[in-house]
Amino acid sequence: MRNDELLALDRAHVWHPYGPMPGRTEPLVVASASGVRLRLAEPAEGHDELIDGMSSWWSAVHGYNHPVLNEAARGQLGRMSHVMFGGLTHEPAVRLAARLVEITPEPLRHVFLSDSGSVAVEVAAKMCLQYWRSLGRPGKRRLLTWRGGYHGDTWQPMSVCDPEGGMHRLWSGVLQQQLFVDEPPAAYEESYAELLRATVARHADELAAVIVEPVVQGAGGMRFHDPGYLRVLREACDAHGVLLVFDEIATGFGRTGTLFAADQAGVSPDVMCLGKALTGGYLSMAATLCTSAVADGISRGEVPVLAHGPTFMGNPLAAAIACASIDLLLSRDWALEVKRIEGGLREGLAGAGSIPGVRDVRVLGAIGVVQLDHEIDMAAATRAAVREGVWLRPFRDLVYTMPPYVTEDADLARICAAVRAAAAAG
Ligand SMILES: *Cc1c(COP(=O)(O)O)cnc(C)c1O
């Protein structure tokens, strides 16, 4: 298809994330991707390929078109790409579940596989509410979270996304009323810890669970906080009979410097959501893990089953690639790679603080963030990055990058230059 034809059809018929219909901005057409490079169908700002600074929204941690993941996909394709999971099972899903239990915090023992992060959060909420219902406490059906979070775009996750920011304000009054405390401060403050404790205590009778993104709040604002707050939440939840859910869909698989962000606090949740990097960015798959206590509670209820079962649950192709991606990650010194990227981002973004309009620069693990003091001009900022030969997707007041772990130092330096250029242009 010719590029202009493709773009005309795209504009006329195809929704893009958070986009209007018809589209108002022209997306770049990607013909293929390999390593950390996206190859464009037509050159943009003089570049026919771009260095990927986004890992396709946290997911492509090994880069694109990886021979090991390709081989896993081909091998599984030759056997079957899908069979239903009701009444049937297969090695890829079983191996993946066992592997996830092995690498996540100890008490997590049971795995519900689904197709996307939002669904994994839906399942987590259903698990928690059903747990209390089964125990004869149906009044415990609200969720507590802190502001500034992001948990997905379906209804239940939306209800715990930041209530002010982003798209979800549109739905206030329609969404289920959850309980919010202020955004967590970056550093540990005893007064905030006390607020968490007091809120859990005061609302324990109506709370099914506390749900948070541990250590890094992603799409809600790219904010970082002291892991100590997670210990406070764990203690408060234990003391008052409330379940604790960690949404590690963005932070999982090494992004923050530990395999899971929960590891930085040394606490484990009752329920954990994984997604994004689970398949190394190849296919859509997510997982909700829970403890035996949660599973047993559900099993003791009047309806002793978890009534959820996506058509593509446990998809063998995605599961086989996920297994290969996890093996690949753990076979490399991923912690050293993330440390190296953290160092490169610190060095490369150090100067960004003096760019006019920049309010804050922060780096954690393989995540680099430049926050402006104003809403960004997305088109101008994106164009500035593309001019540097780099793909970035700034939003709100943020220019940020979470590159694939395999990004080499020279490419990382170019990504940092692009972040600075985008911040200056936006
Ligand atoms: C992306 C994300 C989700 C939603 O995942 P999708 O696969 O886009 O549905 C949920 N929680 C967090 C923390 C995320 O970053």
Side-chain angles (χ1 to χ4, degrees):
M1 200 184 292
R2 283 205 335 260
N3 223 44
D4 55 341
E5 277 180 298
L6 185 155
L7 284 169
L9 289 171
D10 184 272
R11 179 182 295 256
H13 303 300
V14 185
W15 290 105
H16 282 267
Y18 307 103
M21 180 56 66
R24 283 192 224 114
T25 53
E26 189 140 289
L28 298 174
V29 182
V30 179
S32 64
S34 191
V36 301
R37 281 175 165 70
L38 309 177
R39 176 158 283 276
L40 302 175
E42 266 183 6
E45 307 291 334
H47 298 277
D48 52 15
E49 52 180 33
L50 300 177
I51 300 168
D52 174 34
M54 300 303 289
S55 298
S56 284
W57 278 336
W58 314 84
S59 65
V61 292
H62 308 297
Y64 301 87
N65 209 353
H66 195 288
V68 171
L69 303 190
N70 287 1
E71 190 45 45
R74 260 196 300 272
Q76 186 54 42
L77 261 180
R79 290 183 286 274
M80 59 190 170
S81 60
H82 186 63
V83 290
M84 65 185 283
F85 212 45
L88 301 176
T89 194
H90 44 77
E91 187 174 327
V94 172
R95 273 189 50 208
L96 174 60
R99 195 78 162 118
L100 291 176
V101 167
E102 189 187 310
I103 64 176
T104 52
E106 169 65 22
L108 300 168
R109 296 191 55 81
H110 310 289
V111 184
F112 191 101
L113 295 171
S114 59
D115 1 40
S116 78
S118 300
V119 175
V121 173
E122 296 276 2
V123 169
K126 192 184 274 191
M127 280 177 178
C128 294
L129 267 65
Q130 193 172 338
Y131 171 84
W132 292 113
R133 201 158 275 250
S134 295
L135 266 54
R137 306 280 307 274
K140 285 169 76 67
R141 60 194 186 86
R142 286 182 88 190
L143 302 174
L144 169 66
T145 188
W146 44 43
R147 287 170 186 268
Y150 176 79
H151 297 281
D153 294 334
T154 59
W155 291 100
Q156 183 73 40
M158 266 167 70
S159 75
V160 281
C161 286
D162 187 77
E164 309 293 335
M167 309 286 153
H168 303 302
R169 185 196 278 172
L170 183 62
W171 296 110
S172 66
V174 180
L175 288 173
Q176 206 171 324
Q177 293 289 299
Q178 310 292 14
L179 215 58
F180 292 90
V181 290
D182 286 345
E183 293 174 348
Y188 190 87
E189 290 172 17
E190 190 49 39
S191 60
Y192 186 77
E194 201 43 55
L195 172 72
L196 293 176
R197 289 186 199 107
T199 311
V200 173
R202 184 160 359 101
H203 294 275
D205 281 347
E206 54 171 342
L207 282 180
V210 174
I211 177 169
V212 294
E213 294 159 278
V215 184
V216 175
Q217 295 181 291
M222 302 298 293
R223 302 172 82 254
F224 310 150
H225 58 258
D226 190 289
Y229 293 134
L230 305 173
R231 285 190 289 276
V232 171
L233 284 176
R234 181 69 278 177
E235 281 161 22
C237 286
D238 286 344
H240 299 285
V242 174
L243 296 172
L244 181 59
V245 182
F246 284 169
D247 179 349
E248 294 237 17
I249 290 168
T251 52
F253 303 102
R255 182 57 68 177
T256 69
T258 47
L259 194 53
F260 299 99
D263 300 340
Q264 298 191 23
V267 298
S268 48
D270 301 293
V271 177
M272 182 190 252
C273 302
L274 298 173
K276 290 203 162 101
L278 176 60
T279 64
Y282 266 54
L283 282 172
S284 184
M285 180 174 253
T288 310
L289 287 84
C290 76
T291 62
S292 292
V294 170
D296 291 347
I298 291 170
S299 304
R300 260 181 275 142
E302 192 183 328
V303 180
V305 300
L306 185 66
H308 213 99
T311 306
F312 288 96
M313 184 166 180
N315 178 258
L317 191 54
I321 296 169
C323 287
S325 176
I326 293 169
D327 288 347
L328 180 62
L329 183 72
L330 299 183
S331 74
R332 307 172 61 102
D333 196 344
W334 61 268
L336 192 71
E337 278 178 341
V338 170
K339 262 254 155 308
R340 175 182 60 81
I341 291 179
E342 180 169 25
L345 291 173
R346 278 191 201 289
E347 193 183 314
L349 299 181
S354 56
I355 297 169
V358 168
R359 186 164 91 187
D360 188 38
V361 179
R362 46 188 184 266
V363 172
L364 179 71
I367 308 167
V369 183
V370 174
Q371 185 169 13
L372 309 180
D373 60 14
H374 57 275
E375 184 93 7
I376 200 158
D377 178 340
M378 246 171 100
T382 304
R383 208 176 316 113
V386 169
R387 217 174 287 131
E388 300 287 329
V390 173
W391 174 243
L392 296 175
R393 181 74 176 159
F395 77 109
R396 267 163 48 187
D397 54 351
L398 301 163
V399 184
Y400 67 111
T401 178
M402 55 274 188
Y405 303 164
V406 295
T407 308
E408 288 172 7
D409 291 344
D411 288 341
L412 194 57
R414 286 184 61 192
I415 289 174
C416 291
V419 170
R420 296 194 307 264

PDB file of all heavy atoms in Angstrom, residues 185-215:
ATOM      1  N   PRO A 185       4.522  11.369  48.532  1.00  0.00           N
ATOM      2  CA  PRO A 185       5.708  12.212  48.343  1.00  0.00           C
ATOM      3  C   PRO A 185       6.883  11.341  47.886  1.00  0.00           C
ATOM      4  O   PRO A 185       6.903  10.145  48.171  1.00  0.00           O
ATOM      5  CB  PRO A 185       5.984  12.766  49.744  1.00  0.00           C
ATOM      6  CG  PRO A 185       4.764  12.482  50.551  1.00  0.00           C
ATOM      7  CD  PRO A 185       4.087  11.310  49.931  1.00  0.00           C
ATOM      8  N   ALA A 186       7.837  11.951  47.196  1.00  0.00           N
ATOM      9  CA  ALA A 186       8.985  11.186  46.703  1.00  0.00           C
ATOM     10  C   ALA A 186       9.782  10.591  47.863  1.00  0.00           C
ATOM     11  O   ALA A 186      10.158   9.417  47.843  1.00  0.00           O
ATOM     12  CB  ALA A 186       9.874  12.090  45.853  1.00  0.00           C
ATOM     13  N   ALA A 187      10.040  11.401  48.892  1.00  0.00           N
ATOM     14  CA  ALA A 187      10.832  10.938  50.032  1.00  0.00           C
ATOM     15  C   ALA A 187       9.902  10.465  51.149  1.00  0.00           C
ATOM     16  O   ALA A 187       8.717  10.797  51.164  1.00  0.00           O
ATOM     17  CB  ALA A 187      11.707  12.072  50.538  1.00  0.00           C
ATOM     18  N   TYR A 188      10.453   9.682  52.053  1.00  0.00           N
ATOM     19  CA  TYR A 188       9.636   9.158  53.142  1.00  0.00           C
ATOM     20  C   TYR A 188       9.300  10.271  54.131  1.00  0.00           C
ATOM     21  O   TYR A 188      10.176  10.949  54.631  1.00  0.00           O
ATOM     22  CB  TYR A 188      10.373   8.028  53.874  1.00  0.00           C
ATOM     23  CG  TYR A 188       9.477   7.304  54.855  1.00  0.00           C
ATOM     24  CD1 TYR A 188       8.691   6.242  54.443  1.00  0.00           C
ATOM     25  CD2 TYR A 188       9.404   7.709  56.186  1.00  0.00           C
ATOM     26  CE1 TYR A 188       7.854   5.591  55.326  1.00  0.00           C
ATOM     27  CE2 TYR A 188       8.558   7.065  57.078  1.00  0.00           C
ATOM     28  CZ  TYR A 188       7.783   6.003  56.638  1.00  0.00           C
ATOM     29  OH  TYR A 188       6.955   5.375  57.507  1.00  0.00           O
ATOM     30  N   GLU A 189       8.015  10.435  54.373  1.00  0.00           N
ATOM     31  CA  GLU A 189       7.573  11.414  55.376  1.00  0.00           C
ATOM     32  C   GLU A 189       6.646  10.696  56.337  1.00  0.00           C
ATOM     33  O   GLU A 189       5.666  10.085  55.926  1.00  0.00           O
ATOM     34  CB  GLU A 189       6.817  12.575  54.704  1.00  0.00           C
ATOM     35  CG  GLU A 189       7.709  13.476  53.864  1.00  0.00           C
ATOM     36  CD  GLU A 189       6.896  14.505  53.066  1.00  0.00           C
ATOM     37  OE1 GLU A 189       5.716  14.721  53.396  1.00  0.00           O
ATOM     38  OE2 GLU A 189       7.461  15.051  52.107  1.00  0.00           O
ATOM     39  N   GLU A 190       6.950  10.793  57.618  1.00  0.00           N
ATOM     40  CA  GLU A 190       6.165  10.072  58.615  1.00  0.00           C
ATOM     41  C   GLU A 190       4.699  10.532  58.589  1.00  0.00           C
ATOM     42  O   GLU A 190       3.794   9.725  58.790  1.00  0.00           O
ATOM     43  CB  GLU A 190       6.796  10.254  60.006  1.00  0.00           C
ATOM     44  CG  GLU A 190       6.216   9.369  61.098  1.00  0.00           C
ATOM     45  CD  GLU A 190       6.109   7.874  60.728  1.00  0.00           C
ATOM     46  OE1 GLU A 190       7.027   7.345  60.059  1.00  0.00           O
ATOM     47  OE2 GLU A 190       5.092   7.255  61.107  1.00  0.00           O
ATOM     48  N   SER A 191       4.471  11.815  58.299  1.00  0.00           N
ATOM     49  CA  SER A 191       3.088  12.299  58.306  1.00  0.00           C
ATOM     50  C   SER A 191       2.259  11.633  57.198  1.00  0.00           C
ATOM     51  O   SER A 191       1.079  11.348  57.375  1.00  0.00           O
ATOM     52  CB  SER A 191       3.052  13.819  58.153  1.00  0.00           C
ATOM     53  OG  SER A 191       3.663  14.181  56.935  1.00  0.00           O
ATOM     54  N   TYR A 192       2.900  11.363  56.075  1.00  0.00           N
ATOM     55  CA  TYR A 192       2.171  10.685  54.994  1.00  0.00           C
ATOM     56  C   TYR A 192       1.928   9.217  55.354  1.00  0.00           C
ATOM     57  O   TYR A 192       0.844   8.675  55.100  1.00  0.00           O
ATOM     58  CB  TYR A 192       2.923  10.802  53.667  1.00  0.00           C
ATOM     59  CG  TYR A 192       2.123  10.242  52.515  1.00  0.00           C
ATOM     60  CD1 TYR A 192       1.071  10.958  51.953  1.00  0.00           C
ATOM     61  CD2 TYR A 192       2.382   8.969  52.021  1.00  0.00           C
ATOM     62  CE1 TYR A 192       0.305  10.440  50.924  1.00  0.00           C
ATOM     63  CE2 TYR A 192       1.622   8.428  50.987  1.00  0.00           C
ATOM     64  CZ  TYR A 192       0.590   9.164  50.444  1.00  0.00           C
ATOM     65  OH  TYR A 192      -0.177   8.639  49.425  1.00  0.00           O
ATOM     66  N   ALA A 193       2.945   8.595  55.960  1.00  0.00           N
ATOM     67  CA  ALA A 193       2.765   7.208  56.416  1.00  0.00           C
ATOM     68  C   ALA A 193       1.590   7.129  57.391  1.00  0.00           C
ATOM     69  O   ALA A 193       0.760   6.215  57.327  1.00  0.00           O
ATOM     70  CB  ALA A 193       4.049   6.705  57.080  1.00  0.00           C
ATOM     71  N   GLU A 194       1.491   8.129  58.244  1.00  0.00           N
ATOM     72  CA  GLU A 194       0.410   8.173  59.229  1.00  0.00           C
ATOM     73  C   GLU A 194      -0.945   8.340  58.534  1.00  0.00           C
ATOM     74  O   GLU A 194      -1.937   7.714  58.933  1.00  0.00           O
ATOM     75  CB  GLU A 194       0.690   9.332  60.217  1.00  0.00           C
ATOM     76  CG  GLU A 194      -0.015   9.224  61.546  1.00  0.00           C
ATOM     77  CD  GLU A 194       0.017   7.806  62.143  1.00  0.00           C
ATOM     78  OE1 GLU A 194       1.122   7.229  62.308  1.00  0.00           O
ATOM     79  OE2 GLU A 194      -1.089   7.289  62.400  1.00  0.00           O
ATOM     80  N   LEU A 195      -0.965   9.141  57.488  1.00  0.00           N
ATOM     81  CA  LEU A 195      -2.206   9.303  56.707  1.00  0.00           C
ATOM     82  C   LEU A 195      -2.648   7.962  56.105  1.00  0.00           C
ATOM     83  O   LEU A 195      -3.830   7.609  56.127  1.00  0.00           O
ATOM     84  CB  LEU A 195      -1.988  10.333  55.585  1.00  0.00           C
ATOM     85  CG  LEU A 195      -3.123  10.472  54.568  1.00  0.00           C
ATOM     86  CD1 LEU A 195      -4.332  11.163  55.182  1.00  0.00           C
ATOM     87  CD2 LEU A 195      -2.661  11.224  53.318  1.00  0.00           C
ATOM     88  N   LEU A 196      -1.684   7.207  55.568  1.00  0.00           N
ATOM     89  CA  LEU A 196      -2.013   5.890  54.999  1.00  0.00           C
ATOM     90  C   LEU A 196      -2.600   4.982  56.075  1.00  0.00           C
ATOM     91  O   LEU A 196      -3.653   4.366  55.887  1.00  0.00           O
ATOM     92  CB  LEU A 196      -0.758   5.236  54.393  1.00  0.00           C
ATOM     93  CG  LEU A 196      -0.151   5.901  53.150  1.00  0.00           C
ATOM     94  CD1 LEU A 196       1.139   5.181  52.743  1.00  0.00           C
ATOM     95  CD2 LEU A 196      -1.132   5.898  51.978  1.00  0.00           C
ATOM     96  N   ARG A 197      -1.898   4.910  57.221  1.00  0.00           N
ATOM     97  CA  ARG A 197      -2.365   4.044  58.319  1.00  0.00           C
ATOM     98  C   ARG A 197      -3.770   4.439  58.765  1.00  0.00           C
ATOM     99  O   ARG A 197      -4.650   3.596  58.913  1.00  0.00           O
ATOM    100  CB  ARG A 197      -1.421   4.168  59.525  1.00  0.00           C
ATOM    101  CG  ARG A 197      -0.075   3.534  59.309  1.00  0.00           C
ATOM    102  CD  ARG A 197       0.752   3.561  60.615  1.00  0.00           C
ATOM    103  NE  ARG A 197       2.157   3.373  60.295  1.00  0.00           N
ATOM    104  CZ  ARG A 197       3.100   4.322  60.340  1.00  0.00           C
ATOM    105  NH1 ARG A 197       2.791   5.557  60.736  1.00  0.00           N
ATOM    106  NH2 ARG A 197       4.334   4.051  60.002  1.00  0.00           N
ATOM    107  N   ALA A 198      -3.969   5.733  58.958  1.00  0.00           N
ATOM    108  CA  ALA A 198      -5.247   6.212  59.491  1.00  0.00           C
ATOM    109  C   ALA A 198      -6.381   5.950  58.500  1.00  0.00           C
ATOM    110  O   ALA A 198      -7.488   5.576  58.893  1.00  0.00           O
ATOM    111  CB  ALA A 198      -5.147   7.706  59.799  1.00  0.00           C
ATOM    112  N   THR A 199      -6.104   6.128  57.210  1.00  0.00           N
ATOM    113  CA  THR A 199      -7.164   5.937  56.213  1.00  0.00           C
ATOM    114  C   THR A 199      -7.558   4.464  56.118  1.00  0.00           C
ATOM    115  O   THR A 199      -8.744   4.138  56.042  1.00  0.00           O
ATOM    116  CB  THR A 199      -6.716   6.467  54.830  1.00  0.00           C
ATOM    117  OG1 THR A 199      -6.192   7.784  54.992  1.00  0.00           O
ATOM    118  CG2 THR A 199      -7.873   6.499  53.859  1.00  0.00           C
ATOM    119  N   VAL A 200      -6.557   3.582  56.122  1.00  0.00           N
ATOM    120  CA  VAL A 200      -6.874   2.149  56.092  1.00  0.00           C
ATOM    121  C   VAL A 200      -7.682   1.777  57.332  1.00  0.00           C
ATOM    122  O   VAL A 200      -8.711   1.079  57.249  1.00  0.00           O
ATOM    123  CB  VAL A 200      -5.585   1.291  56.000  1.00  0.00           C
ATOM    124  CG1 VAL A 200      -5.911  -0.195  56.147  1.00  0.00           C
ATOM    125  CG2 VAL A 200      -4.870   1.546  54.675  1.00  0.00           C
ATOM    126  N   ALA A 201      -7.253   2.268  58.495  1.00  0.00           N
ATOM    127  CA  ALA A 201      -7.942   1.924  59.751  1.00  0.00           C
ATOM    128  C   ALA A 201      -9.386   2.427  59.732  1.00  0.00           C
ATOM    129  O   ALA A 201     -10.321   1.690  60.048  1.00  0.00           O
ATOM    130  CB  ALA A 201      -7.185   2.524  60.936  1.00  0.00           C
ATOM    131  N   ARG A 202      -9.573   3.684  59.318  1.00  0.00           N
ATOM    132  CA  ARG A 202     -10.892   4.296  59.388  1.00  0.00           C
ATOM    133  C   ARG A 202     -11.885   3.624  58.443  1.00  0.00           C
ATOM    134  O   ARG A 202     -13.061   3.519  58.733  1.00  0.00           O
ATOM    135  CB  ARG A 202     -10.776   5.803  59.067  1.00  0.00           C
ATOM    136  CG  ARG A 202     -12.061   6.560  59.206  1.00  0.00           C
ATOM    137  CD  ARG A 202     -11.885   8.080  59.359  1.00  0.00           C
ATOM    138  NE  ARG A 202     -10.510   8.549  59.380  1.00  0.00           N
ATOM    139  CZ  ARG A 202      -9.892   9.097  58.318  1.00  0.00           C
ATOM    140  NH1 ARG A 202     -10.516   9.234  57.174  1.00  0.00           N
ATOM    141  NH2 ARG A 202      -8.645   9.527  58.429  1.00  0.00           N
ATOM    142  N   HIS A 203     -11.405   3.149  57.305  1.00  0.00           N
ATOM    143  CA  HIS A 203     -12.327   2.637  56.283  1.00  0.00           C
ATOM    144  C   HIS A 203     -12.281   1.115  56.136  1.00  0.00           C
ATOM    145  O   HIS A 203     -12.833   0.571  55.173  1.00  0.00           O
ATOM    146  CB  HIS A 203     -12.025   3.294  54.932  1.00  0.00           C
ATOM    147  CG  HIS A 203     -12.297   4.769  54.924  1.00  0.00           C
ATOM    148  ND1 HIS A 203     -13.552   5.283  54.685  1.00  0.00           N
ATOM    149  CD2 HIS A 203     -11.482   5.831  55.166  1.00  0.00           C
ATOM    150  CE1 HIS A 203     -13.501   6.609  54.759  1.00  0.00           C
ATOM    151  NE2 HIS A 203     -12.255   6.967  55.048  1.00  0.00           N
ATOM    152  N   ALA A 204     -11.632   0.445  57.091  1.00  0.00           N
ATOM    153  CA  ALA A 204     -11.424  -1.007  56.945  1.00  0.00           C
ATOM    154  C   ALA A 204     -12.723  -1.767  56.679  1.00  0.00           C
ATOM    155  O   ALA A 204     -12.735  -2.731  55.911  1.00  0.00           O
ATOM    156  CB  ALA A 204     -10.726  -1.561  58.184  1.00  0.00           C
ATOM    157  N   ASP A 205     -13.827  -1.319  57.273  1.00  0.00           N
ATOM    158  CA  ASP A 205     -15.091  -2.045  57.125  1.00  0.00           C
ATOM    159  C   ASP A 205     -15.634  -2.035  55.707  1.00  0.00           C
ATOM    160  O   ASP A 205     -16.407  -2.902  55.332  1.00  0.00           O
ATOM    161  CB  ASP A 205     -16.159  -1.441  58.058  1.00  0.00           C
ATOM    162  CG  ASP A 205     -15.955  -1.926  59.478  1.00  0.00           C
ATOM    163  OD1 ASP A 205     -15.177  -2.888  59.667  1.00  0.00           O
ATOM    164  OD2 ASP A 205     -16.561  -1.326  60.390  1.00  0.00           O
ATOM    165  N   GLU A 206     -15.258  -1.027  54.932  1.00  0.00           N
ATOM    166  CA  GLU A 206     -15.777  -0.958  53.561  1.00  0.00           C
ATOM    167  C   GLU A 206     -14.698  -1.257  52.514  1.00  0.00           C
ATOM    168  O   GLU A 206     -14.990  -1.322  51.325  1.00  0.00           O
ATOM    169  CB  GLU A 206     -16.400   0.422  53.278  1.00  0.00           C
ATOM    170  CG  GLU A 206     -15.470   1.579  53.556  1.00  0.00           C
ATOM    171  CD  GLU A 206     -16.005   2.919  53.069  1.00  0.00           C
ATOM    172  OE1 GLU A 206     -16.915   2.931  52.222  1.00  0.00           O
ATOM    173  OE2 GLU A 206     -15.490   3.953  53.535  1.00  0.00           O
ATOM    174  N   LEU A 207     -13.454  -1.448  52.966  1.00  0.00           N
ATOM    175  CA  LEU A 207     -12.365  -1.658  52.010  1.00  0.00           C
ATOM    176  C   LEU A 207     -12.141  -3.137  51.711  1.00  0.00           C
ATOM    177  O   LEU A 207     -11.909  -3.935  52.623  1.00  0.00           O
ATOM    178  CB  LEU A 207     -11.058  -1.079  52.552  1.00  0.00           C
ATOM    179  CG  LEU A 207     -10.871   0.426  52.456  1.00  0.00           C
ATOM    180  CD1 LEU A 207      -9.514   0.811  53.042  1.00  0.00           C
ATOM    181  CD2 LEU A 207     -10.974   0.887  51.002  1.00  0.00           C
ATOM    182  N   ALA A 208     -12.171  -3.480  50.413  1.00  0.00           N
ATOM    183  CA  ALA A 208     -11.761  -4.822  50.000  1.00  0.00           C
ATOM    184  C   ALA A 208     -10.240  -4.873  49.893  1.00  0.00           C
ATOM    185  O   ALA A 208      -9.618  -5.848  50.284  1.00  0.00           O
ATOM    186  CB  ALA A 208     -12.400  -5.186  48.668  1.00  0.00           C
ATOM    187  N   ALA A 209      -9.666  -3.819  49.338  1.00  0.00           N
ATOM    188  CA  ALA A 209      -8.236  -3.848  49.052  1.00  0.00           C
ATOM    189  C   ALA A 209      -7.665  -2.443  48.880  1.00  0.00           C
ATOM    190  O   ALA A 209      -8.397  -1.498  48.588  1.00  0.00           O
ATOM    191  CB  ALA A 209      -7.964  -4.661  47.776  1.00  0.00           C
ATOM    192  N   VAL A 210      -6.363  -2.360  49.078  1.00  0.00           N
ATOM    193  CA  VAL A 210      -5.591  -1.191  48.663  1.00  0.00           C
ATOM    194  C   VAL A 210      -4.895  -1.596  47.370  1.00  0.00           C
ATOM    195  O   VAL A 210      -4.316  -2.692  47.295  1.00  0.00           O
ATOM    196  CB  VAL A 210      -4.538  -0.808  49.721  1.00  0.00           C
ATOM    197  CG1 VAL A 210      -3.640   0.309  49.208  1.00  0.00           C
ATOM    198  CG2 VAL A 210      -5.211  -0.410  51.027  1.00  0.00           C
ATOM    199  N   ILE A 211      -4.970  -0.767  46.349  1.00  0.00           N
ATOM    200  CA  ILE A 211      -4.263  -1.063  45.096  1.00  0.00           C
ATOM    201  C   ILE A 211      -3.348   0.097  44.740  1.00  0.00           C
ATOM    202  O   ILE A 211      -3.792   1.251  44.725  1.00  0.00           O
ATOM    203  CB  ILE A 211      -5.232  -1.400  43.939  1.00  0.00           C
ATOM    204  CG1 ILE A 211      -4.440  -1.625  42.635  1.00  0.00           C
ATOM    205  CG2 ILE A 211      -6.296  -0.323  43.744  1.00  0.00           C
ATOM    206  CD1 ILE A 211      -5.260  -2.227  41.503  1.00  0.00           C
ATOM    207  N   VAL A 212      -2.071  -0.203  44.508  1.00  0.00           N
ATOM    208  CA  VAL A 212      -1.107   0.833  44.122  1.00  0.00           C
ATOM    209  C   VAL A 212      -0.107   0.283  43.111  1.00  0.00           C
ATOM    210  O   VAL A 212       0.105  -0.926  43.021  1.00  0.00           O
ATOM    211  CB  VAL A 212      -0.304   1.382  45.339  1.00  0.00           C
ATOM    212  CG1 VAL A 212      -1.206   2.122  46.311  1.00  0.00           C
ATOM    213  CG2 VAL A 212       0.473   0.275  46.038  1.00  0.00           C
ATOM    214  N   GLU A 213       0.505   1.205  42.396  1.00  0.00           N
ATOM    215  CA  GLU A 213       1.695   0.885  41.614  1.00  0.00           C
ATOM    216  C   GLU A 213       2.883   1.065  42.558  1.00  0.00           C
ATOM    217  O   GLU A 213       3.077   2.172  43.066  1.00  0.00           O
ATOM    218  CB  GLU A 213       1.859   1.867  40.457  1.00  0.00           C
ATOM    219  CG  GLU A 213       0.789   1.801  39.387  1.00  0.00           C
ATOM    220  CD  GLU A 213       0.748   3.096  38.587  1.00  0.00           C
ATOM    221  OE1 GLU A 213       0.114   4.062  39.060  1.00  0.00           O
ATOM    222  OE2 GLU A 213       1.356   3.158  37.521  1.00  0.00           O
ATOM    223  N   PRO A 214       3.666   0.041  42.805  1.00  0.00           N
ATOM    224  CA  PRO A 214       4.776   0.192  43.731  1.00  0.00           C
ATOM    225  C   PRO A 214       5.961   0.959  43.135  1.00  0.00           C
ATOM    226  O   PRO A 214       6.347   0.711  41.999  1.00  0.00           O
ATOM    227  CB  PRO A 214       5.174  -1.256  44.061  1.00  0.00           C
ATOM    228  CG  PRO A 214       4.684  -2.064  42.923  1.00  0.00           C
ATOM    229  CD  PRO A 214       3.521  -1.344  42.320  1.00  0.00           C
ATOM    230  N   VAL A 215       6.493   1.908  43.873  1.00  0.00           N
ATOM    231  CA  VAL A 215       7.736   2.663  43.603  1.00  0.00           C
ATOM    232  C   VAL A 215       7.615   3.660  42.443  1.00  0.00           C
ATOM    233  O   VAL A 215       8.060   4.791  42.549  1.00  0.00           O
ATOM    234  CB  VAL A 215       8.961   1.740  43.388  1.00  0.00           C
ATOM    235  CG1 VAL A 215      10.230   2.567  43.202  1.00  0.00           C
ATOM    236  CG2 VAL A 215       9.133   0.788  44.583  1.00  0.00           C
TER     237      VAL A 215
END
